[in-house]
Amino acid sequence: MIELDKVAHSYGGGELLSGISLTLMPGSFHFLTGPSGAGKSTFLKLCYGELMPSAGHVQLFGRDVGAMSRDDVAHARRRIGVVHQDCQFLDHLPLAENVLLPLTVAGQDTGAEADNLIELLSWVGLARQAASRPPELSGGERQRAALARAVIMSPEVILADEPTGNVDWDMSLRLLQLLVELNRMGKTILIATHDLNLIRAAKAQVSARVLRIKDRRIQLAGADL
Amino acid sequence: MSPALIRLRSFLLGDGQADRVVPPTGFTVRLTLFTSAAMGFLAVFALALSLATGRLADRWSEALARTATVRISAPEGQMQAQTDAVIEVLRTTPGVVGARVLSVQEQRDLLAPWFGPDLPIDSLPLPQLVELRETGKGYDAEGLRLRLSAEAPGAVLDDHARWRRPLVRAADRLRLLGLVSIVLIGMTTAAMITLSANAALAANAKVIQVLRLVGARDVYIARAFVRRFTGRALQGAAAGTALAMLAVALLPGADTAGGFLTGLGFQGAGWLLPLLIPPLAGIVAFWATRAAAFRTLGEVT
């Protein structure tokens, strides 16, 4: 599905990640942790082709990212749902259109998805905010909206970068619950977070591997988690 | 329908949803509209200039190339004899179709712009003018000069070539300058629209990033910008062209005494030529924006 083989990434003359090898198997649930600046976001960007490795290979759905055209990368991204910490919405469009954006850019008839959209917004608890614009939403609402947008195309993989970074603990648990539900539907989940409590809460509900970035390398986290 | 036609139809009809993903960018839109309108306006005048000078060059060439003048300066008693001699020489000169002596009234008309209509021409020692018309092949000017000097010593052949060539050359240059101006206007339009498109693309860097994140292909993102700028350039150029055509139509009409300035307009089918300016501006905007968009998108992963 997504496979990294001896991947390194350099930034500003220094190596941020080195010798990273990891395979995200279908239906797996991973946490990626580490201190701020360790390279968690960089790792995620490598996983969906926003960054290219300076060494090693990244394979998306069996194809080497380095050998893919820009259009191929765009098509691969439609199979990966990404939730950013800062959500990244188009502020001039209402929430409903933002959530439908992956379908819009894929040229699909979004009008036919009206029922699915309402169902999806209800699932994340945002049905009443469908007409609101992103700046009018709270941090938690924006995170849930980002999750809704990430899953609208029914992707095989969901990558979440600090999805609970801007929300309180109750909202964090609610978001986690949504991600666990998606995993139970067979989606592959990778969450980058430095919130160890969130990881502990997840491990009580789902079988998750916890990875830690330390000294530019990735390792399996210990029993302390 | 061929794939190219389908793409063109899709581009022209647009996609409401796709167009909405790029927010309206006020100042770049206004800049593009204004630039295209101004360039359309200037292009119409450059075209009018080019066509007018073209007509002028053709007219001068046509009118002057087939005629020449023999000027006879002789004492009053010999004027008629020398005039008859000149007519006889011209009648027997190969390449000369006909010759006629200009009447007193015609000579008065020629001098009227300088001395007024009441010039007492009869009392002035003016030379007699003889106009000759030549065949398409023309005549041997040097040979004719030699014969005239032998038969009518006071006759001088003026074949107009001396002052006709620089005039026609000047008119041709003006026509060329008009065409060069149109090309420069097109290039300036492209440059201005490229700058506007770059500004719009830079202002929408976040939008582009989000679109790439959710799987938009470069051509999808570029099309949203290209459609917008092409449409604005088309509208602006159409408005500028319409205004300029109105201004040209309101210029004073050409008449025989009007000369060059009053002839600075379009004639007949020439009025259709400015209608090409808006679509050409649209084509220029299309390629300029497309190039700018793909260049910018190439820098976004």
Side-chain angles (χ1 to χ4, degrees), chain A residues 68-205:
Chain A
M68 289 165 79
S69 69
R70 289 175 62 81
D71 280 356
D72 289 340
V73 171
H75 280 293
R77 283 183 188 170
R78 296 175 188 175
R79 300 170 68 181
I80 303 170
V82 180
V83 182
H84 266 275
Q85 184 178 7
D86 59 1
C87 301
Q88 299 202 341
F89 290 115
L90 301 184
D91 291 344
H92 65 288
L93 294 181
L95 173 63
E97 286 189 49
N98 266 290
V99 171
L100 288 169
L101 200 55
L103 294 172
T104 307
V105 303
Q108 295 188 19
D109 180 11
T110 53
E113 296 288 330
D115 290 342
N116 288 342
L117 175 69
I118 292 168
E119 195 178 325
L120 180 60
L121 289 177
S122 299
W123 179 65
V124 294
L126 292 173
R128 284 192 307 163
Q129 286 88 340
S132 304
R133 292 181 195 278
E136 297 163 7
L137 302 175
S138 69
E141 288 170 336
R142 289 166 62 84
Q143 292 290 1
R144 282 181 282 148
L147 184 59
R149 187 182 66 188
V151 301
I152 188 98
M153 290 281 280
S154 195
E156 293 148 69
V157 184
I158 293 163
L159 306 175
D161 188 5
E162 301 282 5
T164 60
N166 295 322
V167 297
D168 59 27
W169 177 243
D170 286 344
M171 185 54 68
S172 297
L173 287 179
R174 191 166 171 193
L175 279 164
L176 177 65
Q177 192 57 45
L178 293 172
L179 288 163
V180 168
E181 279 181 41
L182 286 166
N183 181 243
R184 285 178 183 151
M185 292 176 200
K187 310 295 182 194
T188 304
I189 311 284
L190 171 59
I191 303 172
T193 181
H194 64 272
D195 187 345
L196 301 184
N197 288 329
L198 185 76
I199 297 173
R200 289 186 191 109
K203 287 184 79 172
Q205 304 176 54

Side-chain angles (χ1 to χ4, degrees), chain A residues 48-51 70-71 73-75 77-78 82 84 88-94 97 101-102 104-105 108 110 149, chain B residues 15 17-18 20-24 206-220 297-301:
Chain A
Y48 63 87
E50 184 171 336
L51 292 176
R70 289 175 62 81
D71 280 356
V73 171
H75 280 293
R77 283 183 188 170
R78 296 175 188 175
V82 180
H84 266 275
Q88 299 202 341
F89 290 115
L90 301 184
D91 291 344
H92 65 288
L93 294 181
E97 286 189 49
L101 200 55
T104 307
V105 303
Q108 295 188 19
T110 53
R149 187 182 66 188
Chain B
D15 173 351
Q17 278 184 318
R20 278 171 54 78
V21 300
V22 177
K206 187 192 161 196
V207 172
I208 292 170
Q209 197 179 1
V210 172
L211 292 174
R212 285 290 300 173
L213 180 72
V214 299
R217 293 161 63 216
D218 285 352
V219 69
Y220 178 91
L297 288 167
E299 294 161 5
V300 179
T301 50

Side-chain angles (χ1 to χ4, degrees), chain B residues 187-272:
Chain B
M187 290 168 72
T188 308
T189 306
M192 292 295 285
I193 288 174
T194 300
L195 287 173
S196 297
N198 278 336
L201 288 160
N204 287 296
K206 187 192 161 196
V207 172
I208 292 170
Q209 197 179 1
V210 172
L211 292 174
R212 285 290 300 173
L213 180 72
V214 299
R217 293 161 63 216
D218 285 352
V219 69
Y220 178 91
I221 303 170
R223 194 182 295 158
F225 286 93
V226 169
R227 267 185 54 79
R228 183 162 297 179
F229 277 87
T230 303
R232 295 292 183 270
L234 208 58
Q235 289 169 23
T241 300
L243 280 175
M245 286 177 74
L246 186 67
V248 170
L250 294 176
L251 280 174
D255 55 35
T256 48
F260 173 70
L261 278 176
T262 51
L264 187 64
F266 299 105
Q267 290 178 3
W271 280 102
L272 296 175

Side-chain angles (χ1 to χ4, degrees), chain B residues 25 50 55 83 98 123 135 147 158 179 181 184 216 223 239 278:
Chain B
T25 42
S50 184
R55 283 196 302 270
T83 302
S123 59
T135 62
R147 287 185 64 203
D158 180 2
L179 294 174
S181 299
L184 285 175
R223 194 182 295 158

